[in-house]
Amino acid sequence: MVPIYLLGILLRFGPQHGYQIKRTLAENVADFTSIKLPTIYYHLEKMEREGWVSAKRETEGTRPERTIFTITQKGREAFLDGLERQLALTYRPTFDADALFYFADHLDFSQIIRRLETYVTQMERSLAEIRRHQLAISADLPQDHRVCVGIIFSHHTLHYQAEKTWAQTTIKALLSGGNTDAQATDH
Amino acid sequence: MVPIYLLGILLRFGPQHGYQIKRTLAENVADFTSIKLPTIYYHLEKMEREGWVSAKRETEGTRPERTIFTITQKGREAFLDGLERQLALTYRPTFDADALFYFADHLDFSQIIRRLETYVTQMERSLAEIRRHQLAISADLPQDHRVCVGIIFSHHTLHYQAEKTWAQTTIKALLSGGNTDAQATDH
DNA sequence: CCCTCCATAGTCAGCGCTGACTATTTGCAT
DNA sequence: ATGCAAATAGTCAGCGCTGACTATGGAGGG
């Protein structure tokens, strides 16, 4: 995934140095990925060895030297190739919560329920944030691109909603089916 | 996550060697995780250094020597500690499809739509498989544990449904909003 | 004019993970 | 008896990633 993002950014926004790519990513796709700086440099180096980008040392004013990366023809091909490979959509998630519930017999059910309740509000906050970001970002985008970005946002939204629904139904399940009679808590 | 699974398995099913743990995982939690053999050995070694498990070489019949791992008191504490830390539920997914749609201007919309259509049926197959596995597995489980495993299955089910819904609405969005007029394909 | 803080630009050791490999044993058909 | 796949039990090199670090430049306050 990382190389696709880097090549795509270099294609769309022109030649950049590592740190600048980091900022471009932060400004444009922070909602979908969180690629760390060392990861960026790692892949830039690798892609240079592959001939997908070309590096040029540059000094601007009194600023320290920087390495500007430009996408090559070979890089454009690799980008398209990688993107087309992504057309083979797959989904096989694993959730940390799975382990939690698989071994839930070692835990206190009432405590789990309390956590799930705060989790529901967390998801609600995430959903609100997503909607806010979508409005803020897609405002100044050309129509075609806004549609695509909208698709990404709706993807995330649907999964956050799934997460919220799951937490809510789980609370109910634990309250009725679980050994909730063990909840002789204080009060 | 891996250490929690390994310690939990050793707790619930008793002392085992690496390969045996692999089988136990495959038989019990293959639907939620896919921990590879080398990963198991890596963590067993690490946990032995930490004093969470104790190793004992053993020979049975003509079979080659095996290293049996037993959970220690310290390991039991580490397990509970790790499990409780999982109570801090979090969710911040990234999807490969995000990159696909962020750079979708480099691709043919009609091709994307075709892929999404097969993706919908893939998700339907996954949903059917999940339901089948749930019935098969939870049949011979004690009530309490069945509830918990049911929670895990419903978690996965909800996300597969989200994925299916997303694919369906995306198809519609692309057909109406996208530049589908560029679909002067053969026929 | 100095001091501090943030932004800039990048490096590096080390962690977690796994594909690909070794080596032996058992089951089973021929 | 023989051959051959599958199961058993485990190892190892190397990949991708990132927390923590270095080092310099400008901005602003006192």
Side-chain angles (χ1 to χ4, degrees):
Chain A
M1 239 353 61
V2 181
I4 290 184
Y5 274 111
L6 299 189
L7 292 172
I9 291 294
L10 288 180
L11 251 181
R12 187 170 290 169
F13 297 95
Q16 317 216 341
H17 57 270
Y19 190 82
Q20 199 174 356
I21 292 177
K22 164 76 184 168
R23 273 186 318 216
T24 309
L25 285 169
E27 281 161 26
N28 291 281
V29 292
D31 291 302
F32 326 138
T33 54
S34 67
I35 301 169
K36 303 290 183 284
L37 242 190
T39 308
I40 293 173
Y41 285 105
Y42 170 75
H43 283 280
L44 284 174
E45 228 169 276
K46 208 185 160 207
M47 295 196 304
E48 201 202 344
R49 285 199 301 275
E50 305 263 5
W52 296 358
V53 296
S54 66
K56 207 182 287 175
R57 298 289 284 175
E58 181 213 75
T59 331
E60 191 202 271
T62 80
R63 301 250 84 231
E65 226 187 356
R66 300 179 297 195
T67 313
I68 308 286
F69 292 91
T70 312
I71 187 166
T72 64
Q73 184 51 37
K74 224 173 150 189
R76 264 184 284 273
E77 284 158 21
F79 170 70
L80 265 182
D81 195 63
L83 205 58
E84 266 157 30
R85 235 196 303 287
Q86 291 311 314
L87 280 169
L89 299 159
T90 56
Y91 187 66
R92 206 154 206 329
T94 60
F95 305 102
D96 289 359
D98 293 349
L100 183 71
F101 282 96
Y102 190 70
F103 298 115
D105 50 327
H106 295 271
L107 291 169
D108 181 18
F109 270 42
S110 62
Q111 198 182 357
I112 296 179
I113 292 171
R114 246 173 295 139
R115 294 297 188 131
L116 282 169
E117 272 156 3
T118 73
Y119 190 55
V120 169
T121 70
Q122 266 178 53
M123 290 305 104
E124 276 161 359
R125 223 169 290 146
S126 294
L127 281 163
E129 202 194 349
I130 286 181
R131 216 166 308 142
R132 207 157 39 69
H133 283 205
Q134 178 167 15
L135 292 176
I137 285 178
S138 57
D140 38 274
L141 285 182
Q143 166 66 5
D144 270 28
H145 196 229
R146 180 157 64 240
V147 170
C148 291
V149 170
I151 287 168
I152 300 174
F153 273 108
S154 92
H155 197 181
H156 285 247
T157 301
L158 277 164
H159 280 279
Y160 276 100
Q161 276 166 354
E163 206 60 8
K164 185 188 160 191
T165 308
W166 169 73
Q168 286 172 326
T169 61
T170 299
I171 290 170
K172 271 182 217 148
L174 288 179
L175 282 176
S176 67
N179 63 339
T180 41
D181 38 8
Q183 279 176 50
T185 34
D186 46 329
H187 62 275
Chain B
M1 241 349 66
V2 180
I4 290 184
Y5 275 110
L6 299 189
L7 292 172
I9 291 293
L10 288 179
L11 251 180
R12 188 170 290 169
F13 298 94
Q16 318 215 340
H17 57 270
Y19 190 82
Q20 200 174 355
I21 291 178
K22 164 76 183 167
R23 274 186 316 217
T24 309
L25 285 169
E27 281 161 27
N28 290 281
V29 291
D31 291 303
F32 326 139
T33 53
S34 67
I35 301 169
K36 304 288 183 287
L37 242 190
T39 309
I40 293 173
Y41 286 106
Y42 170 74
H43 283 281
L44 283 174
E45 228 168 276
K46 209 186 159 206
M47 295 196 305
E48 201 202 343
R49 285 200 302 275
E50 306 264 4
W52 296 359
V53 297
S54 66
K56 207 181 288 176
R57 298 290 284 174
E58 180 213 75
T59 332
E60 191 203 271
T62 79
R63 302 251 84 233
E65 226 186 355
R66 301 179 296 195
T67 313
I68 308 285
F69 292 91
T70 312
I71 188 166
T72 64
Q73 184 51 36
K74 226 173 149 189
R76 266 185 282 274
E77 284 158 20
F79 170 71
L80 265 182
D81 196 62
L83 206 58
E84 266 157 28
R85 236 196 303 285
Q86 291 311 314
L87 280 169
L89 298 160
T90 54
Y91 188 65
R92 205 152 207 329
T94 59
F95 305 103
D96 288 1
D98 294 349
L100 183 70
F101 283 95
Y102 190 68
F103 298 114
D105 51 326
H106 295 272
L107 291 170
D108 181 19
F109 270 42
S110 61
Q111 198 182 355
I112 296 179
I113 291 172
R114 248 174 294 140
R115 294 297 187 131
L116 282 169
E117 273 157 3
T118 73
Y119 191 55
V120 169
T121 70
Q122 266 178 52
M123 291 304 104
E124 275 161 0
R125 224 169 290 146
S126 294
L127 281 164
E129 201 195 350
I130 286 181
R131 215 166 310 143
R132 207 157 40 69
H133 282 204
Q134 177 167 15
L135 292 176
I137 286 177
S138 57
D140 38 274
L141 285 182
Q143 166 65 5
D144 270 28
H145 196 229
R146 180 157 65 240
V147 170
C148 291
V149 169
I151 287 167
I152 300 174
F153 274 108
S154 92
H155 197 181
H156 285 245
T157 301
L158 277 165
H159 281 278
Y160 277 99
Q161 277 166 353
E163 206 61 6
K164 185 187 161 192
T165 309
W166 169 73
Q168 287 172 326
T169 61
T170 299
I171 290 170
K172 272 183 217 148
L174 289 178
L175 282 175
S176 67
N179 62 338
T180 41
D181 38 7
Q183 276 177 52
T185 34
D186 48 328
H187 60 276

